Amino acid sequence: MGRRRYVQLLSALLYNANLAGFVRGTIYTGSLKGLCVPGLNCHSCPGAIAACPLGSFQTALGDIRTKLPLYIVGVLVLFGVLLGRAICAFLCPFGLAQDLLHKIPSPKLRKSTVTRWLSLCKYIVLFIFVVYLPLHFLRVNGVSTPAFCKYLCPMGTLQAGIPLVLANESLRAIVGALFQWRLVWLGIILLTSIFLFRPFCRFLCPLGAIYSLFNKYALFGIKVNAHRCTGCRACVNSCKLDVHQINDRECIRCGDCLPLCPHKAIVYKRKDTKNEE
C-alpha cells in the first residue's frame, strides 16, 4: 500500500476519532466541532470531531444578511492556497472510498470528451445547491437549509444517515422518502465508482470545484520542470482523471504520474529546484 493510501486512511481516522459515537448513535458536540477539516466529511457522522467545510459554508450563507461568513471563506481559501485539489487525493475520506471501490475487478470506463464535459457539472452543483438555493430558497423559520447536504451529499448518507438510523430505533421509525432517495443516490455513486474512476469527485463534488480554482497556484503539490518536459503527454495519457495538463482544474495532484514520466520532469514542489535540473 502506497504512502498516499496511508495518508488517506490516517486522515479519515483523525476526522472521525469519536469512535464511541458509532456505538451510542450520538453526534459529538465538543469544542472541536467549531473547526473544519479540509475534506468532505459529514459533521453529523457519529465519529466526526470537526465540521465539514461545505456544510459550514452553506450554513454561513444562511446568516449572510446579518454577518459575513469570514471564517469559513477564510478556511476554504487557506486550504485552497496551500494544497488545492491535493486535498481530494490525500485528505478526503470519500475519495478514499471511491479509490478502493475502483480496485474491484470489472470492466472500466475510460475518460473521454464526454467525461471532460461532464466534469463541468460540479460547478453547476456548486452554484445551485451550495450557493443559490441556501441563499434564496429552502428557508424554514428564517434558517437556510443546506441543500447539497440534504439532497445530494453521499458522504452524509454513508457516514451519518446509515450509522445513526442503525443505532437509533426511534430514527428507524420515522425515516421517509428523503432517506430512501439518499440511499438510492448513494448506491448509484458507489456502484458507478467500481466502473468509472472517482465519478463523484470528477462530476459532482462542489468542494473539489472550489479547490480547483486554486489548483494552479497552490503552494504544495506537484509541478513540471519545463527544462526536462518534452511534451510527450505520458502523464496526461496515463491519468484516469480528465486532465489536459498537470495542475489544471481536474488534476488532484496525487503524484501517480511521477514514476511514469520518462524524463523525470514531474516533481513535488517541496523539492529543492537545484535537484530538478
Side-chain angles (χ1 to χ4, degrees):
M1 187 167 62
R3 286 180 293 179
R4 183 167 71 89
R5 195 72 73 228
Y6 283 118
V7 174
Q8 288 178 295
L9 288 170
L10 180 60
S11 63
L13 290 173
L14 288 175
Y15 294 172
N16 302 286
N18 183 43
L19 299 180
F22 289 103
V23 178
R24 294 193 294 261
T26 57
I27 299 173
Y28 172 77
T29 57
S31 58
L32 290 176
K33 224 38 179 298
L35 303 176
C36 288
V37 298
L40 192 69
N41 195 80
C42 185
H43 70 281
S44 295
C45 172
I49 61 171
C52 171
L54 206 56
S56 298
F57 181 68
Q58 292 170 88
T59 303
L61 285 180
D63 297 329
I64 200 169
R65 291 172 176 82
T66 57
K67 58 183 178 181
L68 296 175
L70 297 179
Y71 166 71
I72 184 57
V73 171
V75 165
L76 287 169
V77 170
L78 177 62
F79 289 151
V81 167
L82 288 177
L83 295 169
R85 291 202 71 185
I87 292 169
C88 305
F90 292 89
L91 301 175
C92 182
F94 200 64
L96 170 62
Q98 292 172 93
D99 284 346
L100 296 177
L101 285 169
H102 196 68
K103 288 185 173 297
I104 296 175
S106 70
K108 306 298 181 185
L109 299 175
R110 296 179 178 274
K111 63 182 179 182
S112 64
T113 303
V114 174
T115 61
R116 179 73 182 184
W117 279 105
L118 286 175
S119 69
L120 297 174
C121 290
K122 58 180 169 288
Y123 300 96
I124 299 173
V125 173
L126 172 63
F127 175 74
I128 294 177
F129 285 88
V130 177
V131 178
Y132 187 74
L133 290 179
L135 272 178
H136 298 284
F137 295 98
L138 302 177
R139 298 182 69 86
V140 180
N141 298 324
V143 179
S144 179
T145 299
F148 176 78
C149 295
K150 185 173 182 178
Y151 298 109
L152 290 183
C153 182
M155 201 56 167
T157 309
L158 183 64
Q159 275 192 302
I162 293 174
L164 288 173
V165 167
L166 290 177
N168 294 277
E169 187 175 351
S170 58
L171 290 179
R172 292 198 294 273
I174 62 172
V175 294
L178 179 58
F179 184 70
Q180 293 169 0
W181 150 249
R182 294 191 58 167
L183 285 177
V184 171
W185 178 239
L186 173 65
I188 291 172
I189 292 174
L190 295 181
L191 182 63
T192 306
S193 299
I194 298 174
F195 306 100
L196 187 64
F197 186 70
R198 284 192 174 221
F200 180 76
C201 297
R202 291 162 69 181
F203 310 138
L204 296 168
C205 183
L207 189 58
I210 293 172
Y211 290 145
S212 74
L213 303 177
F214 303 91
N215 216 31
K216 187 175 291 187
Y217 311 102
L219 297 177
F220 301 101
I222 60 175
K223 67 177 181 178
V224 177
N225 184 325
H227 299 292
R228 291 185 178 180
C229 180
T230 63
C232 70
R233 297 182 64 81
C235 53
V236 172
N237 294 335
S238 64
C239 184
K240 298 184 182 73
L241 296 162
D242 302 283
V243 299
H244 278 177
Q245 61 183 19
I246 300 296
N247 282 331
D248 72 2
R249 62 179 174 81
E250 292 305 310
C251 175
I252 61 172
R253 318 176 104 203
C254 62
D256 288 353
C257 56
L258 268 70
L260 301 177
C261 177
H263 308 289
K264 307 299 180 185
I266 308 170
V267 295
Y268 281 106
K269 285 188 177 182
R270 69 172 183 267
K271 285 191 174 183
D272 188 324
T273 54
K274 292 180 180 180
N275 296 328
E276 296 170 14
E277 299 175 353

